[in-house]
Amino acid sequence: MSSTIEKLFPGFTPAQKRNLLFYTIGIMCYKLGLESALGAVKTMMTERFNSNPATSANAFATLGLLEGLNQLMQSLGSIAVAPLIFRFKTPHVLAVAISFFATLSLVFLILEPATGGKLVTYIVKNGKDVPDPSTYGNWSPYILFPLFLLIGGAYGIIELIRRVIPRDIVGGDVAKLKKMDATVHIWYEVAGTGGAFFSAFMIQKLGHVYAMCVVPPLFIAAAVSWFQVSSPERNLAKIQNGPKRSIGGAVFHYVGVYFSSIVTGARIIFSSRRFIWLIPGYSLGLVYHRYLENGVAPNFSKIVLGDASLAQIMVGGSNFGELCGALIVFIFNTQVKTPIPWVRWDALVLNLLWLVPCLSYRLLSNGTSPQAFAWMVAALFMFISMGWAAGDVSLAAYVQSQLEHNEEEEISEEVSPLGAVMAFLYSSYIAMYFGLNYGLGKYLDVYANKVKAIKNDKNLAYETGIEPFYMIAGVLFSVGCVIIFAGTFIPKGSFAINPEILSGDELHDEENATVNVLAHESEFKAAK
């Protein structure tokens, strides 16, 4: 057994293997609980805002607003990571954040029975089995705003630490980092796929609130496991040698650093053809992927299929596609040297979503059950997300490799080129996603209200509900395909089907342009 582990993880010390084991166990418990928590909360939001008379008319616009604010809170949560990990061990910050997430999930489990909530039952409406709103607890859906925003903050902290903690576990060895990243990513996606399907099952059996009963034990198990991960004391040395600030002062300081990094990232990206294509390739691609899982899936499930919990079946298919996409990139890593082919694949498969509105009326009106159709959509989502994951994994490696020569290791360097570029790309994604989600929410409300007014006419309800998805799942995603695909021809040397290199003979000139941008930024700060 020990020899097998040694072959799988050559060069890892016993302490590193132990840390990797506990971290991987924790990450699987976290992902299983995360899919159950987010699946239940998003189903809860969709069902509660649609069933409450005070919010029903603008339910999907409200959902779009809430999703956008949650994304913003994720970004703010990530800002709080830097001062926290400077003062405390990184695994301990991670464990406390997941424990706070577990506490928030308990609020729902206490609130629902306290206000008369029961296990879900179903009623028939327009020929479809839909959840009975009379089983819901008598609490205002607006309570979801503070709770979902706090969840976003905790989620942002966890997700950022999840990306930086590998260096604490295995150090700066590139080979070990790649091995750890690949191992953790595979188990993370396995847990995500199983967690999404399990979440759909639990929501349909217990309801969207009581399905969260598995979340606190899973999150606490993750916290206990992460507490076992040892971490170097380098953070304490940094805070002792650095400027003295309170945690609140440090948070405000890093908010300023974050916005400064966005400006620096914009300067870098718009200075070079090697980077400017990342706006459509990375940011816009992420917008479409997130809207596929958090927009198309729950909205179609509620408006057309009648049950928002069916979205988790679709998300499970999407998660499995992400796993397959990451494995494909891993297998063909040496044959495909740039992210261009993967991003083009990602763009082209967006057109597959036309099948959802084009086939749904024919199948559903001829006897296909909503649950069976959800599984068909899950298979379609698998292929679409496979393309996105392949592009995302390769793009992350591309950005790091292109900026590696500019990275500074000194503690005093607060805005690195890589951090600045990623801050700008992620902020661009948040802005685009917020506008898209809210605008399409208002558009969907028009048709959702028409469906709610239909009585005892299943086919008319299907036809009316499907109509907006020709524009959303069809035209909108095809527009995204054109923009993302066209953006892949911006870098020099990208017209080949499988380019060997993107910068060509002018790499040195473009590197100098990037360095000049950073130098100008430093001069600007010094002048201030």
Side-chain angles (χ1 to χ4, degrees):
M1 181 68 178
S2 60
S3 60
T4 303
I5 296 176
E6 184 61 36
K7 290 179 181 178
L8 290 173
F9 301 101
F12 281 64
T13 66
Q16 289 172 343
K17 292 174 187 175
R18 174 187 176 278
N19 285 338
L20 178 57
L21 174 63
F22 279 111
Y23 178 69
T24 304
I25 292 172
I27 208 72
M28 292 189 70
C29 292
Y30 160 67
K31 185 59 173 175
L32 283 168
L34 181 69
E35 289 297 335
S36 295
L38 294 185
V41 171
K42 289 175 182 178
T43 301
M44 188 188 310
M45 294 190 306
T46 305
E47 295 290 351
R48 297 281 176 146
F49 281 115
N50 274 280
S51 62
N52 191 296
T55 58
S56 178
N58 299 297
F60 290 96
T62 306
L63 288 170
L65 175 64
L66 192 51
E67 281 278 359
L69 292 174
N70 177 267
Q71 295 285 333
L72 179 61
M73 285 298 295
Q74 289 182 36
S75 181
L76 295 177
S78 67
I79 295 172
V81 168
L84 289 173
I85 65 175
F86 274 10
R87 284 163 171 76
F88 310 104
K89 290 187 176 182
T90 306
H92 293 180
V93 176
L94 190 59
V96 171
I98 195 68
S99 299
F100 178 67
F101 202 155
T103 303
L104 291 173
S105 64
L106 278 173
V107 173
F108 293 106
L109 293 169
I110 295 171
L111 181 63
E112 184 72 1
T115 55
K118 305 179 182 67
L119 294 179
V120 68
T121 58
Y122 287 81
I123 58 175
V124 177
K125 182 178 181 181
N126 288 325
K128 297 176 283 187
D129 291 333
V130 300
D132 183 1
S134 67
T135 61
Y136 299 163
N138 186 26
W139 50 271
S140 171
Y142 287 111
I143 293 175
L144 287 165
F145 270 86
L147 290 174
F148 197 48
L149 295 188
L150 289 172
I151 285 173
Y155 184 41
I157 291 173
I158 296 165
E159 285 298 301
L160 182 61
I161 293 180
R162 193 171 66 83
R163 286 164 173 77
V164 301
I165 200 174
R167 187 176 291 270
D168 278 2
I169 294 177
V170 298
D173 189 292
V174 176
K176 290 182 180 180
L177 284 170
K178 287 184 177 180
K179 176 66 72 172
M180 176 179 174
D181 285 342
T183 302
V184 172
H185 187 78
I186 289 171
W187 288 111
Y188 181 82
E189 293 298 347
V190 167
T193 302
F197 290 139
F198 180 68
S199 174
F201 171 79
M202 291 293 286
I203 294 171
Q204 289 172 5
K205 295 298 181 183
L206 303 179
H208 49 249
V209 176
Y210 294 113
M212 297 181 73
C213 64
V214 300
V215 175
L218 284 170
F219 279 178
I220 294 302
V224 170
S225 184
W226 286 335
F227 255 112
Q228 309 307 312
V229 177
S230 59
S231 176
E233 296 290 348
R234 58 179 176 80
N235 297 335
L236 299 177
K238 285 184 178 183
I239 191 61
Q240 289 169 2
N241 298 330
K244 301 297 186 291
R245 297 187 184 96
S246 65
I247 292 181
V251 169
F252 279 110
H253 170 73
Y254 282 103
V255 168
V257 171
Y258 179 74
F259 284 105
S260 175
S261 68
I262 292 174
V263 174
T264 303
R267 291 176 184 272
I268 294 173
I269 283 177
F270 287 103
S271 72
S272 170
R273 287 171 61 179
R274 282 186 298 143
F275 300 126
I276 195 170
W277 75 283
L278 294 173
I279 297 175
Y282 180 87
S283 297
L284 190 61
L286 183 57
V287 168
Y288 277 95
H289 177 70
R290 289 288 178 249
Y291 192 74
L292 179 76
E293 292 187 342
N294 301 332
V296 174
N299 296 341
F300 185 87
S301 297
K302 180 59 182 174
I303 296 173
V304 179
L305 304 182
D307 185 359
S309 69
L310 296 176
Q312 285 304 103
I313 296 176
M314 304 176 192
V315 172
S318 177
N319 288 347
F320 183 69
E322 291 179 35
L323 171 62
C324 295
L327 287 173
I328 288 172
V329 172
F330 183 78
I331 293 169
F332 294 100
N333 184 47
T334 56
Q335 290 88 345
V336 182
K337 301 185 183 302
T338 72
I340 292 292
W342 303 122
V343 176
R344 288 174 181 163
W345 175 24
D346 177 24
L348 291 174
V349 295
L350 292 178
N351 292 295
L352 291 175
L353 210 59
W354 273 101
L355 293 173
V356 173
C358 290
L359 296 180
S360 52
Y361 181 76
R362 182 181 303 174
L363 292 172
L364 292 168
S365 62
N366 287 324
T368 301
S369 70
Q371 189 165 24
F373 189 78
W375 282 102
M376 296 177 191
V377 176
L380 185 65
F381 277 21
M382 181 190 72
F383 286 103
I384 297 173
S385 292
M386 194 186 302
W388 174 80
D392 182 67
V393 170
S394 57
L395 279 171
Y398 169 79
V399 174
Q400 292 180 53
S401 66
Q402 292 295 306
L403 290 169
E404 183 179 6
H405 58 282
N406 289 324
E407 287 296 297
E408 299 291 337
E409 296 298 331
E410 289 84 358
I411 296 173
S412 61
E413 185 64 41
E414 293 182 299
V415 181
S416 69
L418 176 60
V421 166
M422 295 310 295
F424 175 78
L425 291 174
Y426 193 73
S427 299
S428 302
Y429 148 71
I430 290 175
M432 288 188 284
Y433 184 79
F434 187 94
L436 180 74
N437 214 357
Y438 181 71
L440 291 180
K442 294 185 74 68
Y443 175 68
L444 282 169
D445 277 326
V446 175
Y447 293 90
N449 291 331
K450 291 179 181 178
V451 172
K452 292 170 190 173
I454 296 172
K455 306 295 183 183
N456 301 320
D457 193 335
K458 179 176 68 173
N459 290 344
L460 179 60
Y462 280 141
E463 184 178 6
T464 305
I466 292 166
E467 186 177 346
F469 290 95
Y470 283 99
M471 179 62 68
I472 294 173
V475 174
L476 183 67
F477 273 71
S478 289
V479 169
C481 164
V482 172
I483 296 173
I484 296 171
F485 194 84
T488 64
F489 293 96
I490 294 175
K492 294 179 181 179
S494 61
F495 278 80
I497 295 176
N498 183 17
E500 290 289 322
I501 190 171
L502 294 182
S503 298
D505 296 331
E506 297 184 359
L507 172 62
H508 185 263
D509 294 336
E510 295 195 347
E511 286 180 350
N512 287 337
T514 301
V515 171
N516 289 336
V517 168
L518 295 171
H520 175 76
E521 184 71 15
S522 299
E523 291 171 3
F524 176 74
K525 289 180 181 177
K528 289 179 70 178

